Amino acid sequence: MAILLGVDTGGTYTDAVLIRDETEVIASAKALTTRHDLAIGIGEAVANVLAAGGIAPGQIALASLSTTLATNALVEGQGARAGLIYVGFREQDLDGHGLRAALGGDPALILSGGHNHAGYQARPLDRAALEVWLSEDRGISAFAVASQFATRNPEHELEVARMVAQLTGRPVSCSHHLSAKLNGPKRALTALLNARLIGMITRLIDKAEGKLIDLGITAPLMVVRGDGALISSKQAQDRPIETILSGPAASIVGARWLTGVDTALVSDIGGTTTDVAVLRGGKPMIDPAGALVGPWRTMVEAVGMRTTGLGGDSEVVVQDDGLAGGVTLGPRRVLPVALIAHEARDIVHRTLDTQLRSTVPGEYDAVFVRAVPGIDAGGLPHRDAAVLQRIVDGGVQSAGGVLGSRLEEHALRRLVRRGLVQVSGVTPSDASHAMGQADIWDGEAAEKALTLLARKRTGSGNRLADDSAQMARIIVDQLTHQTVLAILESAFADETESFGLPPDHLARHVLTQRGLNGTEGLVQLNTSLNVAVVGLGASAACYYPAVGDRLGCKMILPEHAGVANAIGAIVGRVTIRRSGTVTSLSEDLFRVHLDTGPEDYEEADAALDALQGALEMAARAEALAAGAEDIQITATRDLRTAQTGSRQVFLEGEITVEASGRPRIAT
């Protein structure tokens, strides 16, 4: 009998589940995610589930971790300060695929060098300029390197990485290690985001492994990748970008395991995001264009998931620029007022009471800030550092009491993006507490915060709501509306026949919305989903029945829906995919483009066989390193040829190899 432990560290909760022989849930438990020290939340969740299941730590044969932290960090614009070294490109190439926006003011070096499409050197690498740039202290925690046509010849990327490691000792993310595809700016974006996440994911894994050992669990730790497959903790630390959508991918695997459905839309509401994906044939669909998280389209293989900044802890934003007014939710996550009051009751209630006594609504009513300890604050501008110090010195406090000017508002936003400060404000979770649908935190504080929010004015001068109860209903109704839009967008995006408009336009189209209402005039309109929706997440039971009613579909809310991520984390398989290319340089010269550099052959078949052999060896070795056993290898070839008279001429070939097996279970 094998006892397996699955853990999911999300933005709000850390979940843990125990499964016997991959067939039966023994017990599940939750604890609050503690961002300042993730080990605390992980330890509490694991200790709780061991106690609930009556399982001794030594009985655990395998542990696995899924996490939404990387996804949430990208959606919220957080992450450590990273430096980009862009080899062989021009300054204007930073605008490709939103690369300049992704830098967000972080340093970048445009460096001479790079190769051409055939893998020949285009220009010599400017080592002297790189050495000068690296000698200056810019507070960089990790570096990203992207060289022109590095997937055809990685020589310059490897040399830059060697110099960075030697001169700075900082981690380096090479773009050719993350994707074998062309498109330099997109590879650079992926490498930059990877570098930004290295410290965050390393801390998470180190804390998780350390806490498991402290609890007496010596089983190996796996991590869920963005396509739902499992990798070793070391592999996740090297390539943290591959864990984006890890939590959502695990939830889809968990949804299939919990329900057995073959075809459905899976919608998982967390604290920060709502993630919607399609199950077909019992398997999650892989996004051929690369994972899309927030505004960033990466080159990471991941489930075909639409991630929206909408969750139980989404910030409630007042719309005061129109006569009607109202609220929208997200995309930023904030700490619910009910939660921060649960942790700092006296100061929060005292502040809320003072604000309620004022006859005029304040801009920062029911908004609090607190510092996050243990995060590298290097490279901060003077104003940002001063604001941070005031927050550190004052502990939990009103945001209005910290900020002295509009310029400091921008400083606070930058501190939040860096993960150095957390903001607390009104959220759907507060609305649930005020409505009596939840009672785990401070419902009294939530009601006071909603009363303050209800006093704000719309463009017409009217109050947003009469009281806290009406305000709570407005927020929950808005959550229903935005969830319906997110699910409809995914459904339209995955339709086999195009409707001729973008999915987000179709979801909001007047005909769609009137159809959901069941309009009956001269024209009768009825719109509904034609498949079931599987609702997942701790708050799904609160919010999703209304979503199913609005969409006119069956809403499946399985038992253990609140820990589906943790379940999916432990029932997955190890799968390693590696791709490579053979190009034709001339009629009798064929080049194999490998991670180690190009190799030439006189015959196309020999080149293809050499590439497949190298990919199979690399995939098998990586699967073994991930802890797989009973490994099976499959390979597919995509050959492009041209007809010249009676002859068929080889142009290019791409081979993808997949090594898959079950994770090795300790005995």
Side-chain angles (χ1 to χ4, degrees):
M1 181 181 71
I3 305 297
L4 312 179
L5 170 66
V7 179
D8 174 68
T9 302
T12 304
Y13 284 109
T14 295
D15 302 331
V17 65
L18 293 174
I19 294 180
R20 179 184 288 113
D21 294 329
E22 299 184 51
T23 59
E24 176 191 2
V25 175
I26 300 172
S28 65
K30 289 179 177 289
L32 280 172
T33 294
T34 46
R35 285 198 175 191
H36 66 283
D37 187 350
L38 295 167
I40 297 174
I42 290 171
E44 288 182 359
V46 173
N48 291 344
V49 81
L50 290 174
I55 299 297
Q59 292 180 261
I60 303 299
L62 182 70
S64 186
L65 175 71
S66 73
T67 176
T68 60
L69 286 185
T71 309
N72 293 348
L74 297 186
V75 169
E76 297 176 32
Q78 294 184 358
R81 185 172 172 84
L84 172 65
I85 302 170
Y86 211 24
V87 183
F89 294 93
R90 302 163 300 171
E91 179 73 25
Q92 53 262 46
D93 292 326
L94 287 174
D95 297 318
H97 295 277
L99 189 52
R100 193 184 299 277
L103 278 165
D106 284 0
L109 171 66
I110 308 297
L111 194 67
S112 179
H115 293 75
N116 61 23
H117 69 282
Y120 293 114
Q121 179 175 280
R123 287 166 297 278
L125 180 66
D126 192 345
R127 291 173 176 81
L130 175 60
E131 189 169 345
V132 170
W133 191 75
L134 292 174
S135 67
E136 300 179 21
D137 182 12
R138 293 179 171 83
I140 295 171
S141 65
F143 291 84
V145 184
S147 181
Q148 195 172 38
F149 286 106
T151 54
R152 295 296 169 85
N153 190 335
E155 176 189 9
H156 286 178
E157 278 196 9
L158 294 172
E159 175 61 12
V160 169
R162 184 195 66 79
M163 291 180 64
V164 170
Q166 180 181 5
L167 296 173
T168 71
R170 297 291 189 181
V172 188
S173 173
C174 291
S175 75
H176 77 279
H177 287 159
L178 301 171
S179 175
K181 297 179 180 178
L182 297 177
N183 193 330
K186 196 173 178 182
R187 273 190 294 106
L189 172 66
T190 305
L192 175 66
L193 298 178
N194 188 66
R196 192 165 282 159
L197 294 170
I198 286 174
M200 179 184 298
I201 297 301
T202 296
R203 283 193 299 273
L204 169 62
I205 292 173
D206 286 346
K207 294 286 189 182
E209 290 181 323
K211 183 51 66 174
L212 292 181
I213 291 171
D214 289 345
L215 291 171
I217 297 173
T218 58
L221 178 66
M222 310 293 289
V223 179
V224 182
R225 210 170 51 196
D227 59 358
L230 304 181
I231 54 177
S232 71
S233 58
K234 176 64 168 63
Q235 290 166 331
Q237 287 174 318
D238 290 340
R239 295 192 294 272
I241 189 72
E242 293 186 357
T243 70
I244 60 173
L245 300 180
S246 159
S251 74
I252 297 172
V253 175
R256 164 67 175 172
W257 191 86
L258 287 168
T259 65
V261 296
D262 286 326
T263 303
L265 283 163
V266 179
S267 184
D268 184 2
I269 181 170
T272 307
T273 61
T274 291
D275 308 305
V276 185
V278 178
L279 264 178
R280 281 204 178 100
K283 296 181 179 180
M285 306 302 294
I286 302 298
D287 191 339
L292 176 65
V293 183
W296 316 123
R297 174 69 72 177
T298 70
M299 297 188 87
V300 176
E301 281 192 352
V303 293
M305 177 84 63
R306 294 184 79 88
T307 298
T308 305
L310 174 68
D313 298 345
S314 288
E315 180 181 25
V316 176
V317 180
V318 176
Q319 300 290 100
D320 56 4
D321 54 353
L323 293 179
V327 299
T328 60
L329 306 179
R332 188 171 74 157
R333 173 189 180 267
V334 295
L335 291 173
V337 175
L339 173 55
I340 203 165
H342 184 71
E343 299 175 0
R345 177 177 175 81
D346 290 345
I347 181 62
V348 171
H349 276 276
R350 189 161 59 249
T351 302
L352 292 173
D353 290 340
T354 299
Q355 293 169 348
L356 284 168
R357 285 194 294 270
S358 173
T359 57
V360 180
E363 183 177 0
Y364 294 105
D365 281 356
V367 180
F368 299 87
V369 292
R370 73 175 182 191
V372 180
I375 307 296
D376 181 15
L380 286 179
H382 175 74
R383 179 177 285 109
D384 297 27
V387 173
L388 177 60
Q389 191 59 53
R390 289 204 295 273
I391 297 173
V392 170
D393 294 341
V396 174
Q397 56 193 296
S398 169
V402 171
L403 301 176
S405 67
R406 290 294 180 186
L407 290 176
E408 290 190 341
E409 289 182 0
H410 298 296
L412 178 60
R413 293 192 192 101
R414 290 190 292 270
L415 292 172
V416 171
R417 284 198 299 268
R418 286 281 298 273
L420 296 164
V421 170
Q422 285 181 310
V423 174
S424 173
V426 177
T427 68
S429 294
D430 292 301
S432 295
H433 277 76
M435 296 170 70
Q437 295 177 340
D439 60 359
I440 54 175
W441 302 327
D442 191 330
E444 183 184 358
E447 190 170 348
K448 290 178 180 179
L450 287 163
T451 301
L452 287 166
L453 186 66
R455 302 193 311 176
K456 292 185 178 291
R457 303 285 177 172
T458 67
S460 63
N462 295 321
R463 287 170 55 111
L464 270 178
D466 293 334
D467 53 27
S468 61
Q470 186 183 18
M471 191 71 250
R473 173 48 56 192
I474 289 171
I475 293 170
V476 171
D477 287 347
Q478 182 65 24
L479 179 66
T480 300
H481 173 66
Q482 289 183 224
T483 302
V484 166
L485 292 179
I487 293 174
L488 285 173
E489 283 184 32
S490 291
F492 280 122
D494 282 279
E495 284 285 11
T496 53
E497 293 186 17
S498 171
F499 284 79
L501 290 173
D504 58 330
H505 289 195
L506 290 167
R508 293 165 175 78
H509 198 283
V510 62
L511 294 179
T512 303
Q513 294 301 313
R514 293 284 179 86
L516 291 174
N517 294 333
T519 298
E520 294 183 359
L522 294 177
V523 176
Q524 180 174 317
L525 296 173
N526 286 288
T527 302
S528 64
L529 281 185
N530 197 33
V531 296
V533 173
V534 179
L536 302 178
S539 59
C542 290
Y543 302 130
Y544 276 19
V547 172
D549 291 343
R550 178 66 173 160
L551 290 170
C553 68
K554 181 180 180 181
M555 177 63 67
I556 302 173
L557 299 171
E559 186 182 7
H560 307 299
V563 292
N565 293 29
I567 291 171
I570 200 61
V571 299
R573 292 175 62 85
V574 173
T575 302
I576 302 295
R577 278 181 290 272
R578 288 292 168 262
S579 298
T581 305
V582 172
T583 56
S584 174
L585 300 184
S586 65
E587 191 172 341
D588 56 359
L589 185 61
F590 304 91
R591 175 159 289 178
V592 180
H593 300 279
L594 300 171
D595 273 356
T596 53
E599 295 180 5
D600 294 337
Y601 292 82
E602 294 180 355
E603 296 181 359
D605 287 342
L608 290 167
D609 290 343
L611 174 60
Q612 183 167 330
L615 293 174
E616 288 181 356
M617 184 181 301
R620 180 181 293 275
E622 198 159 346
L624 286 170
E629 60 184 6
D630 300 327
I631 298 171
Q632 297 180 340
I633 303 286
T634 59
T636 57
R637 294 187 177 189
D638 180 15
L639 306 182
R640 290 176 283 284
T641 60
Q643 196 73 28
T644 305
S646 59
R647 296 174 57 243
Q648 196 170 48
V649 178
F650 175 88
L651 299 177
E652 186 173 297
E654 182 177 342
I655 299 178
T656 299
V657 166
E658 182 175 289
S660 181
R662 276 296 303 148
R664 194 163 44 248
I665 295 176
T667 57

